[in-house]
């Protein structure tokens, strides 16, 4: 059965006049990819293969999504199939281009012009059945960038496998996507596209640059230059991306920068600035990665979990592609990874690895393999218009405990993404035992937080309390004790594998509840909350010392 399907695929491809007889390893041998990158490519594309529905011509949505099928994942899969170029792969990719493009929004008067559906079943946004409540409601403005960047890879590297009609169809679709992307202006009509929104901003920049050159639209090319300059100006302040150290989005940023370097036009600002920005991304990772814990220490501006060995992160993909799966911060079991959706992206990371590692400093590679020893890392990152001042980042790294924190004062609670589940301005991670990783993360309820890490300590205070919901409090989530071995969690001073001493001017009687509603990144956790006396007027603080 398997054989005949494969032969059919080949026949269809030959009949359409498509070259499809290249060996399975064609991508890897041509690009000089490492064994680690090849292994990641094969493992992750085979995971995607299992979600392919050949009747529908889309990938099935692995967890939550806006429908049964996932258009964005399917779009990612197309260049992966072209790179593999096994029996039937090219024909599948052509079906995907046709299907996903049939769900592109073409009404120029709409804010979502040029965007793609999240799922083929979605009705037209802005209708009574599917109202438009602004970006990220019935449409996601970033899908233009995710699809667009994946298809740059497809057209740039594999157009020779495709019929001319498909090539011009994809080109035309990308041209519309790039024009629609220019409708995005931060602060206008609910849009949040600012240079501080690093990951989509980096993607839109290469989308404008590459499509502009490809179709000869000077306006797009110019926008690409402007976007590159704007993010470089912001980055140059502290040599950090504003969306700082996110185990997921720092990965997207590194991928996008690899695309800048590989696909940007030769005399562009992308080619000029990309190498520095990518090199510094590696350096930051080399400082904040703890190879003993197999985790990136905090603070995390946006995170989908508290232990990279349990969820699919994209920095996990960067590290797997560099030093191999065994030593990488990725789940051992691919079944039921948390945040598993992003695993669909891994093969595209594999394809970018030969470019990405060109900028990898040797010392960083050493640090990824072996923790270099106790050290402090300090830095700053700035996210205008959300931050009232640049955030100060302090991280203490030791053999089996890390403490990461940042000072922040914003107009909103929950970071620029306005999402307390993702925003983790203070977190302690440690080895509970040989394989379990504990995390105490600060759950934000304030927009102004002064969190500072030092060797063995974390101090959090609220210099400007503005909570309007209930009393001022310090909320912490503890997670990671999946197999308790008789240990009873009793509070911050009663967590397994870490001796903590606490000082605070909050009331000593804290509350502790075990939460299983999966409202925070699918995790179950203990919620430990300290509350300030109602009449309190000074600066609330809470300090944790490792003893
Ligand atoms: C050119 O790009 C700008 C944004 O950079 C946009 O406002 C303008 O409408 C575009 N012009 C054309 C003719 O597409
Ligand atoms: C952040 O650090 C800078 C440089 O050390 C310092 O000038 C500034 O006052 C700090 N800001 C906060 C809010 O701590
Ligand atoms: C305190 O917070 C309010 C509301 O976010 C803000 O307007 C004000 O500037 C803040 N003050 C200081 C000293 O940070
Ligand atoms: C953590 O490191 C310390 C000192 O190196 C050691 O005593 C302790 O046993 C380690 N704990 C775990 C859980 O590995
Ligand atoms: C944990 O709690 C249970 C129930 O309250 C108790 O029976 C047990 O002795 C406790 N274990 C430890 C190690 O304190
Ligand atoms: C803690 O104790 C105070 C009185 O000392 C009381 O008002 C408050 O309700 C208690 N809070 C909790 C969470 O038990
Ligand atoms: C933690 O508990 C506090 C006090 O009950 C509550 O206000 C807060 O919303 C809880 N946090 C989470 C993330 O469940």
């Amino acid at each position: 059965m398997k054989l005949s399907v494969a032969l059919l695929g080949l026949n269809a491809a030959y009949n359409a006049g498509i070259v499809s007889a290249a060996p399975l390893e064609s991508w890897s041998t041509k690009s000089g990819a490492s064994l680690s990158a090849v292994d990641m490519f094969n493992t992750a594309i085979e995971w995607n293969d299992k979600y392919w529905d050949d009747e529908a011509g889309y990938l099935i949505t692995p967890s939550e999504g806006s429908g049964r099928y996932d258009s964005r994942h399917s779009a990612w899969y197309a260049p992966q199939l072209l790179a593999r170029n096994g029996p039937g792969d090219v024909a599948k990719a052509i079906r995907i281009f046709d299907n996903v493009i049939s769900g592109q929004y073409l009404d120029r008067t709409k804010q979502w012009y040029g965007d793609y559906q999240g799922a083929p079943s979605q009705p037209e946004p802005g209708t009574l059945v599917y109202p438009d409540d602004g970006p990220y409601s019935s449409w996601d403005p970033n899908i233009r960038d995710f699809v667009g960047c994946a298809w740059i890879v497809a057209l740039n590297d594999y157009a020779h496998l495709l019929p001319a009609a498909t090539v011009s169809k994809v080109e035309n679709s990308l041209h519309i996507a790039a024009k629609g992307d220019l409708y995005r202006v931060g602060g206008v009509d609910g849009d949040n596209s600012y240079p501080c929104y690093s990951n989509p901003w980096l993607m839109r920049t290469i989308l404008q640059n590459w499509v502009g050159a490809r179709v000869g639209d000077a306006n797009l090319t110019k926008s690409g230059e402007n976007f590159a300059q704007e993010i470089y100006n912001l980055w140059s302040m502290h040599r950090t991306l504003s969306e700082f150290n996110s185990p997921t989005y720092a990965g997207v940023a590194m991928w996008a920068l690899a695309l800048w370097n590989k696909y940007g036009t030769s005399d562009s600002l992308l080619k000029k600035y990309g190498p520095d920005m990518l090199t510094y991304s590696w350096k930051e990772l080399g400082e904040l990665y703890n190879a003993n814990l197999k985790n990136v220490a905090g603070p995390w501006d946006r995170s989908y979990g508290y232990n990279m060995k349990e969820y699919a992160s994209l920095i996990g993909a960067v590290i797997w592609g560099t030093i191999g799966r065994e030593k990488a911060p990725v789940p051992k079991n691919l079944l039921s990874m948390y945040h598993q959706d992003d695993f669909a992206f891994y093969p595209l990371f594999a394809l970018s690895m030969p470019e990405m590692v060109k900028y990898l400093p040797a010392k960083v590679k050493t640090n990824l393999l072996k923790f270099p020893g106790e050290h402090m890392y300090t830095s700053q990152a700035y996210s205008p218009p959300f931050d009232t001042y640049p955030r100060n980042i302090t991280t203490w790294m030791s053999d089996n405990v890390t403490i990461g924190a940042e000072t922040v004062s914003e107009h909103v609670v929950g970071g620029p993404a306005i999402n307390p589940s993702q925003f983790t301005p203070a977190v302690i991670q440690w080895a509970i035992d040989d394989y379990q990783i504990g995390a105490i993360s600060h759950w934000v309820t304030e927009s102004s937080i002064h969190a500072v890490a030092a060797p063995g300590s974390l101090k959090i205070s609220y210099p400007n309390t503005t909570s309007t919901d209930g009393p001022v409090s310090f909320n912490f989530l503890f997670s990671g004790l999946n197999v308790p071995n008789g240990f009873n969690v009793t509070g911050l001073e009663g967590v397994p594998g870490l001796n903590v001493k606490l000082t605070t001017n909050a009331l000593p009687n804290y509350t502790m509840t075990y939460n299983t509603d999966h409202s925070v990144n699918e995790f179950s956790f203990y919620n430990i909350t300290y509350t300030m006396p109602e009449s309190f007027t000074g600066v609330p603080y809470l300090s944790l010392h490792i003893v």
Side-chain angles (χ1 to χ4, degrees):
M1 187 63 198
K2 205 169 179 182
L3 184 64
S4 69
V5 169
L7 286 174
L8 266 179
L10 261 181
N11 281 339
Y14 278 128
N15 290 343
I18 297 158
V19 189
S20 192
L24 274 180
E25 299 292 348
S26 64
W27 154 68
S28 51
T29 45
K30 261 198 308 203
S31 66
S34 66
L35 289 178
S36 302
V38 173
D39 171 56
M40 177 163 81
F41 180 86
N42 289 336
T43 306
I45 196 174
E46 282 160 21
W47 186 86
N48 277 336
D49 291 339
K50 296 191 181 116
Y51 285 97
W52 174 252
D53 183 333
D54 201 49
E55 289 175 346
Y58 287 94
L59 291 178
I60 296 166
T61 305
S63 50
E64 42 185 77
S66 33
R68 170 72 175 152
Y69 300 108
D70 192 309
S71 300
R72 188 180 62 145
H73 287 193
S74 305
W76 283 342
Y77 189 42
Q80 302 170 17
L81 290 165
L82 296 175
R84 181 170 63 182
N85 193 16
D89 281 346
V90 172
K92 267 193 211 167
I94 294 170
R95 276 180 83 192
I96 292 172
F97 290 127
D98 287 337
N99 287 343
V100 173
I101 290 172
S102 74
Q104 186 172 29
Y105 300 121
L106 300 177
D107 183 343
R108 287 165 203 266
T109 67
K110 300 290 196 256
Q111 207 182 343
W112 48 91
Y113 172 57
D115 206 1
Y116 301 88
Q117 291 176 311
S121 53
Q122 284 177 303
E124 189 72 19
T127 55
L128 277 180
V129 288
Y130 206 41
D132 160 35
D133 237 339
Y136 314 101
S137 60
S138 46
W139 55 286
D140 176 345
N142 294 339
I143 295 184
R144 292 186 192 97
D145 304 310
F146 281 114
V147 173
C149 284
W151 289 2
I152 290 173
V153 176
L155 283 192
N156 198 91
D157 295 354
Y158 306 107
H160 60 281
L161 300 176
L162 297 168
T166 301
V167 172
S168 47
K169 185 173 187 173
V170 176
E171 254 170 24
N172 184 50
S173 173
L174 291 184
H175 193 192
I176 296 168
K179 284 190 288 186
D181 169 69
L182 293 181
Y183 285 27
R184 300 191 69 178
V185 179
V188 177
D189 296 330
D191 191 82
N192 67 338
S193 188
Y194 297 99
C196 80
Y197 192 9
S198 316
N199 85 86
W201 192 276
L202 290 168
M203 288 192 285
R204 81 187 301 204
T205 304
I206 180 65
L207 181 67
Q208 297 298 332
N209 171 272
W210 190 89
V211 176
R214 178 83 175 198
V215 304
D217 184 332
N219 198 38
L220 302 189
T221 306
K222 188 163 164 292
S223 300
E225 293 292 282
N226 292 341
F227 294 161
Q229 189 64 53
E230 285 179 71
I231 194 164
Y232 185 74
N233 290 348
L234 182 57
W235 177 86
S236 299
M237 288 179 68
H238 310 291
R239 291 181 172 161
T240 51
L241 290 168
S242 308
E243 210 172 22
F244 179 81
N245 187 40
S246 156
T248 293
Y249 296 108
V252 179
M254 289 179 75
W255 180 69
L257 286 168
L259 301 190
W260 279 37
N261 295 345
K262 182 165 181 196
Y263 304 111
T265 51
S266 54
D267 53 352
S268 66
L269 292 177
L270 290 78
K271 273 280 205 290
K272 185 172 167 197
Y273 299 146
D276 251 10
M277 294 171 77
L278 186 48
T279 304
Y280 274 87
S281 298
W282 277 119
K283 286 185 176 171
E284 185 182 290
L285 180 60
E287 290 285 331
L288 289 170
Y289 185 64
N290 184 313
N292 295 339
L293 303 182
K294 284 192 181 173
N295 266 273
V296 173
W300 309 310
D301 278 346
R302 295 181 70 194
S303 139
Y304 291 107
Y306 308 95
N307 176 6
M308 292 166 79
K309 296 197 298 180
E310 292 180 357
Y311 72 100
S313 74
L314 293 168
I315 283 295
V318 169
I319 298 179
W320 177 347
T322 307
I323 58 169
R325 183 177 183 177
E326 262 319 294
K327 301 214 164 217
V330 291
K332 277 208 164 59
N333 292 316
L334 300 182
L335 296 176
S336 291
M337 293 174 278
Y338 291 121
H339 205 66
Q340 63 169 330
D341 280 69
D342 277 346
F343 207 67
F345 208 167
Y346 273 46
L348 285 170
F349 276 66
L351 295 179
S352 78
M353 282 325 294
E355 183 68 25
M356 217 185 281
V357 298
K358 283 184 194 163
Y359 306 90
L360 166 66
K363 179 168 177 284
V364 173
K365 186 170 182 184
T366 312
N367 288 0
L368 295 180
L369 288 162
K370 188 172 183 307
F371 182 63
E374 184 178 336
H375 61 276
M376 279 295 298
Y377 173 80
T378 59
S379 187
Q380 289 178 283
Y382 187 37
S383 291
F386 299 97
D387 283 341
T388 58
Y389 59 73
R391 306 190 297 286
N392 279 352
I393 289 137
T394 44
T395 303
W396 176 65
M397 308 282 299
S398 76
D399 280 357
N400 50 24
V401 185
T402 67
I403 306 176
E406 64 188 333
T407 59
V408 57
S409 170
E410 296 191 334
H411 308 290
V412 292
V413 174
I418 317 180
N419 189 335
S421 295
Q422 293 182 4
F423 186 50
T424 309
V427 57
I428 304 176
Q429 274 184 313
W430 71 98
I432 291 177
D433 52 34
D434 285 347
Y435 73 101
Q436 299 193 97
I437 303 296
I440 292 173
S441 58
H442 177 46
W443 175 263
V444 297
T445 52
E446 296 287 332
S447 56
S448 187
I449 300 161
H450 205 102
V452 181
S457 83
L458 170 64
K459 178 164 184 173
I460 304 175
S461 62
Y462 300 148
N464 184 14
T465 51
T466 50
S467 342
T468 43
D469 294 343
V472 175
S473 63
F474 292 93
N475 294 210
F476 294 90
L477 312 185
F478 163 69
S479 63
L481 185 65
N482 298 322
V483 180
N485 295 333
F487 189 92
N488 291 336
V489 178
T490 56
L492 292 174
E493 291 180 314
V495 290
L498 192 72
N499 287 323
V500 177
K501 187 91 194 80
L502 178 147
T503 49
T504 182
N505 54 10
L507 292 168
N509 54 343
Y510 55 93
T511 60
M512 182 167 88
T513 50
Y514 185 66
N515 183 308
T516 58
D517 70 9
H518 293 211
S519 56
V520 179
N521 297 322
E522 310 162 71
F523 277 67
S524 301
F525 55 85
Y526 286 89
N527 173 347
I528 302 159
T529 296
Y530 281 79
T531 307
M532 296 306 295
E534 228 164 294
S535 56
F536 186 83
T537 52
V539 175
Y541 77 87
L542 188 149
S543 298
L544 300 176
H545 295 269
I546 316 293
V547 292

